[in-house]
């Protein structure tokens, strides 16, 4: 896994077309937190994308588990794909990305 540290306070994330395996962004609620595995947009790529995507943007894929619901107060995340609720601490997730 490659962790990219983004210095911008605001990023653009594209989604919204199940034909290209992206979830509709209205699935993500305002004032809720998520842990997301985002992909960087590649401008002029041969992959299907939305007009207007820039290389400074990101997209979220739906195929596979690419995001988790996060509870900042509890410091936990919850898997949304399985019927059985599995909780992992945010500390454990951060550790996955800080290993050398």
């Amino acid at each position: 896994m490659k962790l990219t540290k983004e210095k911008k306070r605001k990023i653009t994330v594209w989604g919204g077309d199940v034909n290209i395996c992206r979830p509709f962004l209205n699935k993500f609620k305002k004032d809720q937190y998520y842990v997301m595995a985002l992909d960087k947009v590649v401008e002029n790529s041969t992959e299907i994308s939305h007009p207007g995507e820039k290389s400074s943007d990101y997209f979220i894929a739906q195929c596979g588990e690419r995001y988790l619901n996060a509870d900042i107060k509890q410091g936990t995340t919850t898997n949304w794909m399985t019927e059985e609720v599995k909780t992992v601490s945010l500390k454990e997730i951060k550790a996955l990305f800080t290993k050398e």
Side-chain angles (χ1 to χ4, degrees):
M1 277 183 256
K2 182 182 177 195
L3 178 66
T4 301
K5 291 187 179 185
E6 185 60 71
K7 294 178 183 171
K8 296 183 284 186
R9 290 184 54 84
K10 215 177 210 185
I11 62 171
T12 300
V13 178
W14 293 83
D17 192 336
V18 293
N19 293 325
I20 57 174
C21 205
R22 295 184 185 180
F24 290 103
L25 295 181
N26 65 359
K27 155 179 249 163
F28 303 104
K29 306 299 180 212
K30 186 177 180 178
D31 298 325
Q32 288 188 337
Y33 295 92
Y34 303 89
V35 174
M36 298 182 165
L38 301 175
D39 292 300
K40 193 88 164 135
V41 168
V42 177
E43 270 185 281
N44 303 318
S45 167
T46 57
E47 292 185 30
I48 300 171
S49 61
H50 292 286
E53 289 184 357
K54 297 179 277 192
S55 59
S56 59
D57 297 343
Y58 294 86
F59 68 91
I60 184 162
Q62 179 167 287
C63 299
E65 191 166 4
R66 302 300 300 270
Y67 55 92
L68 301 169
N69 296 313
D71 183 327
I72 299 301
K73 289 180 183 172
Q74 297 293 319
T76 59
T77 61
T78 306
N79 177 339
W80 65 273
M81 287 185 73
T82 62
E83 291 180 21
E84 178 185 347
V85 175
K86 294 182 180 181
T87 302
V88 177
S89 74
L90 290 170
K91 188 176 181 179
E92 290 175 86
I93 289 175
K94 187 174 181 180
L96 292 172
F97 293 101
T98 55
K99 288 182 181 176
E100 292 298 321

